[in-house]
Amino acid sequence: IVDESTDISTHKALILYIKYRPKISSDHKTVFAGILKLSGCTSSFIFEAIYEFYIKNNINMHNMVVFTSDGASVMLGENNGVAVLLRNRSPHLSQQHCVAHKEDLGIDDAWKKVPIMHDIETLLKTVFTMFSRSTVKKASFEELASVTECDVLAFRPLNEVRWLSRHFAVRAFIRNYDLLIEYCTEEVEKCNDPICKYCLKLLKDPKYRLSLMVLNDVLEELSSLCKIFQRSLLTIMDAMQFAKARINKIENQYLGEIVHWNNDIKNLISS
């Protein structure tokens, strides 16, 4: 299991994990193998680094049965990817796009296909930036939370492709929703703050609140699946079964003839 990285001095490196089954056990183990220095980022340089690691540690290349990485062409390219070069040494080798990484890319692609998600993404990023870049606004928001005795969560960044980050960002936003409306209302009345005015317009629109609550519900299922995908003892067959179960649950809840809203969403719709 490999992934490229760069240290603070911009030197390229390859992070290497190995998943194996000891001869005396039926359970698989995942161990951190090391960080390999790379002379370059082409498939041939990455292959040489892996090959030298196996030789140095006296591991038979033919024992490698699955190569897992992100979906970059340098790794899984059909003609000259690292997987192809490794298969020249181990003809039986299978290649696999990391399931946790692939799930997050899937969420990212699906997110872009729903028009309202663009507005929601802008709103989430705007609110996070507003409080992360101004200690005054952050302190004012926390003071309001203290006065109203509200239980709030720190706003989280919405990273483009980061495991679980979307759920963390949406969950915190939902938790702070009512307090955020109150804060933005005060700021608009006090100094006609244009950013708060923009946020307030969307926050008071029921369709955005409903969309965020549904989104939070779905992302909770997907984030729990992502955590399962990162289990050290997970097999390919297990991953497939867990994914199917989550897909069936989401389809049955939201994509059937009848939508089964959770209680919070039912209360919002009825109000």
Side-chain angles (χ1 to χ4, degrees):
I1 306 168
V2 303
D3 194 17
E4 291 176 274
S5 184
T6 306
D7 63 17
I8 58 174
S9 60
T10 69
H11 291 153
K12 296 292 183 180
L14 189 73
I15 302 171
L16 182 66
Y17 283 82
I18 293 179
K19 188 170 187 173
Y20 69 99
R21 181 178 62 81
K23 291 182 179 180
I24 58 174
S25 172
S26 60
D27 295 328
H28 289 80
K29 295 183 178 182
T30 302
V31 296
F32 173 67
I35 299 178
L36 314 181
K37 291 183 178 180
L38 293 176
S39 301
C41 293
T42 65
S43 57
S44 58
F45 282 116
I46 296 173
F47 165 76
E48 287 297 329
I50 296 173
Y51 178 72
E52 289 176 8
F53 173 86
Y54 270 69
I55 296 300
K56 181 179 178 181
N57 291 278
N58 197 29
I59 306 174
N60 190 340
M61 287 286 289
H62 288 283
N63 289 345
M64 188 192 297
V65 294
V66 180
F67 173 73
T68 302
S69 69
D70 61 24
S73 58
V74 70
M75 295 291 185
L76 302 181
E78 293 183 5
N79 298 320
N80 199 37
V82 176
V84 173
L85 299 178
L86 289 171
R87 198 176 297 117
N88 292 336
R89 295 278 180 174
S90 304
H92 55 272
L93 184 74
S94 297
Q95 66 187 47
Q96 176 182 312
H97 185 170
C98 169
V99 289
H101 184 263
K102 194 171 185 178
E103 184 212 8
D104 210 72
L105 289 174
I107 295 172
D108 190 51
D109 288 342
W111 183 290
K112 293 173 182 176
K113 292 181 180 179
V114 183
I116 197 174
M117 288 298 103
H118 174 72
D119 292 336
I120 287 177
E121 183 171 305
T122 302
L123 177 61
L124 291 170
K125 289 181 176 179
T126 300
V127 170
F128 172 75
T129 302
M130 179 170 61
F131 291 113
S132 65
R133 293 185 178 178
S134 173
T135 55
V136 174
K137 290 184 177 181
K138 183 179 179 182
S140 179
F141 184 79
E142 291 174 349
E143 182 181 353
L144 181 61
S146 177
V147 170
T148 56
E149 297 183 348
C150 289
D151 182 21
V152 299
L153 282 177
F155 290 104
R156 302 293 293 269
L158 186 71
N159 295 311
E160 291 298 326
V161 182
R162 289 292 185 273
W163 295 338
L164 311 180
S165 78
R166 292 175 190 268
H167 180 229
F168 291 153
V170 173
R171 183 181 62 182
F173 197 90
I174 290 292
R175 176 77 71 85
N176 301 336
Y177 206 97
D178 291 326
L179 187 65
L180 189 57
I181 289 178
E182 188 172 345
Y183 172 83
C184 289
T185 301
E186 287 187 3
E187 290 298 305
V188 170
E189 292 175 351
K190 184 170 60 177
C191 58
N192 200 28
D193 186 300
I195 296 177
C196 287
K197 184 182 291 187
Y198 160 78
C199 293
L200 191 60
K201 179 182 178 182
L202 270 61
L203 288 167
K204 285 188 172 182
D205 190 331
K207 71 179 179 182
Y208 288 102
R209 186 165 197 163
L210 179 61
S211 298
L212 279 160
M213 291 178 72
V214 174
L215 185 62
N216 185 55
D217 208 27
V218 174
L219 288 177
E220 186 173 356
E221 295 292 339
L222 295 175
S223 64
S224 65
L225 180 62
C226 193
K227 291 176 182 177
I228 290 173
F229 283 159
Q230 295 176 62
R231 291 179 182 174
S232 61
L233 299 180
L234 187 73
T235 65
I236 295 175
M237 292 302 296
D238 288 339
M240 184 175 69
Q241 293 304 318
F242 281 122
K244 283 184 176 180
R246 281 296 191 282
I247 290 170
N248 289 337
K249 183 176 180 181
I250 293 173
E251 284 184 338
N252 292 334
Q253 184 174 0
Y254 286 113
L255 302 178
E257 293 183 4
I258 300 175
V259 178
H260 301 282
W261 307 111
N262 65 33
N263 290 331
D264 291 335
I265 297 174
K266 284 181 182 178
N267 294 333
L268 178 63
I269 293 174
S270 64
S271 65

